[in-house]
Amino acid sequence: MHLVDLWLTRSLSMCLLLQSFVLMILCFHSASMCPKGCLCSHSGGLNVSCSNANLKEIPRDLPPETVLLYLDSNQITSIPNEIFKDLHQLRVLNLSKNGIEFIDEHAFKGVAETLQTLDLSDNRIKSVHKNAFNNLKARARIANNPWHCDCTLQQVLRSMASNHETANNVICKTSVLDDHAGRPFLNAANDADLCNLPKKTTDYAMLVTMFGWFTMVISYVVYYVRQNQEDARRHLEYLKSLPSRQKKPEEADDISTVV
């Protein structure tokens, strides 16, 4: 019995030691993979916090098991294509309070399906590629950006899952329609279909052109008729002004003889 107790005690000690060793390796592994200037911690998954780290671009050595990623309050200006493609477990992405101006077409490729929250507020985004948010399931925050409201933005917002809520928070800094500047995008989109404006403009231009040509043709016809009338009047007056032709004596004698 004493041997059994001793064996159990040693086994338990070995298990605890092994568990501590594995945990230490995991912690060391996570710490060694944490990007420079960032803090990594485990709480329901790997949390990577790079807030206020003076980053000028998104780190390319982010741990693949990252679940929460905070890149807010930095100096990031763009989101390149497929920068998050290896982060298949990413659920929260915070890129607020940066200087982001450009978002490439495939910026969120690889995380569009898993991402639950995307924060792009307080940046310098004016427009994005119409496919930039394709298949994005996340609740997106894109307020406080100098948006240019046009057909592309309308298509982008319609492709997003939280379309109504997202569009309601977008204020048009500029717009293809001047009277929509400074107004919420949702109001502007309700007033006019921004994707039909180019077609309408083309139709109006064609109509104006056709009307111009028609006016020119009518003007020419009227001018031509009036000019001909004036020429005919002058010719008639000229004929009237000619002296009447008098008969010669020989012609009168011939007529008498015939009679």
Side-chain angles (χ1 to χ4, degrees):
M1 191 69 179
H2 178 71
L3 292 176
V4 173
D5 292 340
L6 182 61
W7 181 81
L8 290 175
T9 302
R10 289 183 177 180
S11 297
L12 182 60
S13 300
M14 288 297 295
C15 287
L16 290 174
L17 182 61
L18 182 61
Q19 185 177 7
S20 300
F21 181 71
V22 171
L23 185 60
M24 183 178 65
I25 291 177
L26 289 175
C27 291
F28 178 77
H29 179 69
S30 298
S32 64
M33 292 187 65
C34 199
K36 184 179 180 180
C38 304
L39 297 175
C40 297
S41 61
H42 281 272
S43 177
L46 180 60
N47 301 342
V48 180
S49 177
C50 304
S51 305
N52 292 294
N54 294 319
L55 298 177
K56 293 185 175 5
E57 61 181 22
I58 298 172
R60 295 185 177 274
D61 56 346
L62 293 166
E65 65 271 22
T66 301
V67 175
L68 279 70
L69 178 58
Y70 297 93
L71 293 165
D72 54 296
S73 303
N74 283 290
Q75 302 168 34
I76 299 169
T77 58
S78 64
I79 307 178
N81 279 328
E82 302 184 3
I83 189 67
F84 305 112
K85 65 182 180 67
D86 296 324
L87 308 183
H88 302 301
Q89 302 178 45
L90 190 63
R91 296 200 306 266
V92 175
L93 176 58
N94 189 341
L95 283 158
S96 64
K97 299 178 182 178
N98 277 281
I100 297 173
E101 297 182 29
F102 307 104
I103 301 177
D104 288 338
E105 178 180 359
H106 303 295
F108 301 105
K109 185 176 181 180
V111 297
E113 297 288 343
T114 60
L115 206 57
Q116 297 175 3
T117 301
L118 172 63
D119 196 342
L120 291 168
S121 60
D122 298 289
N123 279 286
R124 300 175 184 172
I125 307 169
K126 295 181 180 179
S127 63
V128 294
H129 191 280
K130 66 179 181 179
N131 297 326
F133 297 140
N134 269 11
N135 303 318
L136 190 67
K137 307 300 182 185
R139 183 180 298 276
R141 301 187 184 109
I142 57 176
N144 298 328
N145 282 287
W147 289 106
H148 176 68
C149 294
D150 58 3
C151 176
T152 301
L153 182 59
Q154 179 172 300
Q155 291 175 328
V156 167
L157 293 177
R158 283 179 176 174
S159 70
M160 298 173 70
S162 55
N163 171 38
H164 184 83
E165 180 180 350
T166 304
N168 198 40
N169 293 325
V170 172
I171 304 297
C172 301
K173 177 73 173 179
T174 58
S175 175
V176 289
L177 298 176
D178 292 338
D179 57 337
H180 286 173
R183 297 174 56 192
F185 173 81
L186 198 60
N187 293 348
N190 287 338
D191 290 347
D193 187 350
L194 301 181
C195 290
N196 282 335
L197 295 179
K199 184 178 184 302
K200 291 181 179 178
T201 303
T202 303
D203 292 343
Y204 291 149
M206 185 177 296
L207 183 62
V208 170
T209 302
M210 292 178 62
F211 180 77
W213 278 105
F214 181 74
T215 303
M216 289 176 61
V217 170
I218 294 298
S219 300
Y220 177 77
V221 170
V222 171
Y223 171 79
Y224 180 79
V225 171
R226 287 184 176 178
Q227 188 67 27
N228 283 350
Q229 287 179 342
E230 184 68 18
D231 291 344
R233 185 183 63 79
R234 290 176 181 175
H235 185 66
L236 184 61
E237 290 179 353
Y238 171 75
L239 292 177
K240 288 181 179 179
S241 65
L242 292 176
S244 300
R245 186 182 179 186
Q246 297 181 352
K247 296 179 182 180
K248 297 180 179 180
E250 294 81 1
E251 292 180 354
D253 293 342
D254 289 341
I255 293 173
S256 300
T257 305
V258 173
V259 174

